[in-house]
Structure formats: C-alpha cells, structure tokens
Amino acid sequence: MKVFQEKLCEHHAQVFTIDRQLYSGKTKFQNVLIFENRLFGRVLVLDGIVQLTDRDNHVYHEMLAHVPLMAHGSVGRVLLIGGGDGGTLKEVLKHPVEQVVMVEIDDDIIQLSKRFFPQVSGEAFEDPRVSLLIGDGVEYVTQADSMFDVVIVDSTDPIGPGEQLFTKTFYECCRSLLRPGGVIALQSGASSFNPEQLGGVCGRLASSFEAVRPYLAPVPTYAGGTLALIAAGESDKALLPAIKTLRERDRRLRLRTSYYTPDIHGAAFILAAGYTPRQKP
Ligand code: SAM
C-alpha cells in the first residue's frame, strides 16, 4: 500500500493512504503532490505539508474569510495574499465586496487547483471583482498604495515561499494598507503541536495592531485536528462584535455556508488554556 506521511514535529506523524496518485511535480517555488484518499477525497500537499482536502477545506476557507468580513460588516476592498486554490476567494466573493486583489506567488498552484479541485474555487477566478496578480505578497505590501478594509493571508506554513509572510515587517506593511476599522486574518498552523508558532505570530502582530485574537477551527486533515487562525484590528469588538450584530449581518447577507455561523464565530474565539498562545522564552 502506497502512503503519504506528514511529519510536522518530532515524535509524531500522520499517514494517508495514496489510493490514487494524480500528480507529482515541482513548480518554481514548491513541490506538489496531489492524490486521492478514500476517506478525505483529493488531497493537495505542498512541500510535504497537507494544504487541503475535498472533505474539510470548507471549514478552513469559511473561517478564514467570513470571520474578518462579518466582523467588519461593510467591506469594500479585500487584499488576499496566497490562497492559490481559490477556496478563500470563493468565500470572500459571497459578500457584496467591490474588489478583491489576490496576490499569489505561484501560478502553477492556481492552474493545478483549477484542474484537480475545480469545486474549491468554483467560478471565483472568473468573477469581475477579482484582480489577480502573480507575485510575492511581501513585495506587494511594501509597494502598494491602495487601501483595503480586510487583508487575508492564506499562506503556506512559515517555510519556503511563505516564510516572509510571518514577519513583523510584513504585518506592519499590512497595517499601513488598512483603512480605519480594518481587519487582518491569517492562518497560524496546528496550534496543539506548535503553540510557540502561535505565540510568536501573535507577538509580532501585536506591535502593529491594538487587538490580536487567535481563534480555532476543527480541520481533521491538519495534524492534531485543530487549526489556529488569528484576527487582528483596532479593538476586540472590531474582531468579535456582539452576537446580535453578527446575526443581523448574516440575515441580511443570507450567506450560504456549511460551517460558519455567527454563533460559531463567537465560540471560535473561546480558547481553552492549552491553546493559549505561548511566547518563545
Ligand atoms: N490551506 C492552506 C494551508 O494548509 O496552509 C493554505 C493554502 S494556499 C494553497 C497557500 C498558498 O500560499 C500557496 O498557493 C502558495 O503558493 C502561496 N504563497 C506562499 N508564499 C507566498 C508569498 N510569499 N506570496 C504570495 N503567495 C504565497
């Protein structure tokens, strides 16, 4: 039996059976493996790390997109860094946004995702509100002069091309591109295996943002089953408005989601002690 083993830390690994291999190759930036697993459906792996599966990618994409957009409440312009599979883009476009600027470093990931995971992006890449730029998100934020209401960083982990998307300088640049009331949201890996990463990212964000709040989502394909995300902005209320406000916005927008609800939005920010970010000593 052919298997794929993902090893994020010492003394632990998770294993998927490769029931059918669909693609294996190398882009200019990263190694790509796409296979079918009988439990999770199609699986996308970049540089040995699982990025998404058919079965649970909606949880990740919905929680990364709808938490900042629903918290903000009247988003005009969104900057999306990374997210080559188009899943976050599809969720963002469920809101009445004016424009989404998407900056993805690796065009091959967009093309492979369209080919092997067409339902993840749906028609998102054809939406006239999308301006797609192929380039490095770090370079984009240092040079951009237009402003945004929400910035979403849908990156790989802090190794390879995604490494610079986790730095203090990058977060400072993102902050300077946000209009008043703006919110940033990003993924920060498997918190139960790497609480130091979460603590470190929160600390770096805190030098640019008044409020930094981690939140969690259950994504079985990520090792440990729990993904840490982080929202940051001007105040706690800007990230987590009253539940009544979120419910009103949800009724007005009639969002069609499979996982996100206003109640889950609120609950996701309640962290058990074991998940509280820990700074590196
Ligand atoms: N769900 C995912 C996970 O498990 O982390 C993230 C998915 S998405 C495929 C991550 C994307 O970030 C990839 O397509 C990768 O090419 C892109 N990316 C990495 N570094 C980047 C950078 N510096 N600028 C723009 N995009 C970047």
Side-chain angles (χ1 to χ4, degrees):
M1 188 184 16
K2 212 170 161 196
V3 298
F4 163 71
Q5 175 174 303
E6 180 192 56
K7 195 162 171 49
L8 292 183
C9 60
E10 288 303 306
H11 318 298
H12 178 272
Q14 65 166 343
V15 178
F16 294 78
T17 56
I18 299 180
D19 296 314
R20 188 157 77 104
Q21 182 164 312
L22 300 170
Y23 181 87
S24 172
K26 200 171 163 48
T27 73
K28 202 170 143 203
F29 298 96
Q30 47 215 335
N31 292 305
V32 185
L33 171 66
I34 301 173
F35 64 89
E36 239 166 51
N37 169 273
R38 281 196 200 121
L39 181 60
F40 287 103
R42 292 187 172 187
V43 182
L44 170 67
V45 178
L46 297 181
D47 286 341
I49 300 178
V50 176
Q51 302 293 306
L52 65 85
T53 72
D54 279 342
R55 189 175 178 128
D56 58 10
N57 76 85
H58 64 284
V59 180
Y60 172 90
H61 292 134
E62 290 182 15
M63 291 300 280
L64 186 56
H66 300 307
V67 166
L69 272 89
M70 288 287 282
H72 186 287
S74 59
V75 174
R77 301 189 75 235
V78 177
L79 173 61
L80 172 58
I81 307 282
D85 52 76
T88 302
L89 184 64
K90 183 176 79 180
E91 296 304 321
V92 168
L93 293 167
K94 291 180 180 174
H95 294 254
V97 295
E98 289 153 25
Q99 195 192 17
V100 186
V101 176
M102 172 169 167
V103 187
E104 163 60 56
I105 202 166
D106 197 341
D107 189 40
D108 287 348
I109 301 302
I110 298 179
Q111 303 315 326
L112 287 166
S113 300
K114 282 184 178 175
R115 180 169 154 209
F116 291 106
F117 299 89
Q119 76 298 344
V120 170
S121 58
E123 307 298 311
F125 287 111
E126 277 68 61
D127 193 298
R129 293 172 292 168
V130 177
S131 302
L132 176 62
L133 306 174
I134 302 302
D136 187 343
V138 178
E139 276 171 30
Y140 180 84
V141 298
T142 47
Q143 289 158 17
D145 49 12
S146 49
M147 303 291 279
F148 299 89
D149 299 299
V150 163
V151 175
I152 297 176
V153 190
D154 184 359
S155 66
T156 41
D157 285 353
I159 48 162
E163 195 177 348
Q164 295 306 312
L165 301 175
F166 289 82
T167 63
K168 200 169 147 208
T169 317
F170 174 72
Y171 298 141
E172 276 164 15
C173 292
C174 290
R175 172 67 197 238
S176 70
L177 296 179
L178 280 172
R179 289 173 174 154
V183 177
I184 184 171
L186 49 104
Q187 73 94 359
S188 185
S191 67
S192 31
F193 286 109
N194 198 349
E196 286 80 13
Q197 180 185 322
L198 182 59
V201 176
C202 285
R204 292 195 284 282
L205 279 162
S207 46
S208 298
F209 293 90
E210 293 80 358
V212 178
R213 294 282 302 268
Y215 62 103
L216 300 178
V219 185
T221 30
Y222 295 143
T226 306
L227 174 75
L229 299 127
I230 307 174
E234 288 171 359
S235 66
D236 276 359
K237 213 172 149 210
L239 313 174
L240 185 51
I243 190 74
K244 199 169 141 249
T245 309
L246 289 173
R247 287 186 188 141
E248 272 166 23
R249 287 176 185 165
D250 190 47
R251 259 194 300 278
R252 192 163 28 88
L253 288 171
R254 294 198 187 137
L255 279 184
R256 291 178 62 196
T257 53
S258 305
Y259 181 77
Y260 176 91
T261 66
D263 291 75
I264 286 175
H265 184 138
F269 284 85
I270 300 170
L271 267 60
Y275 289 104
T276 308
R278 243 182 285 145
Q279 302 272 353
K280 263 191 183 145

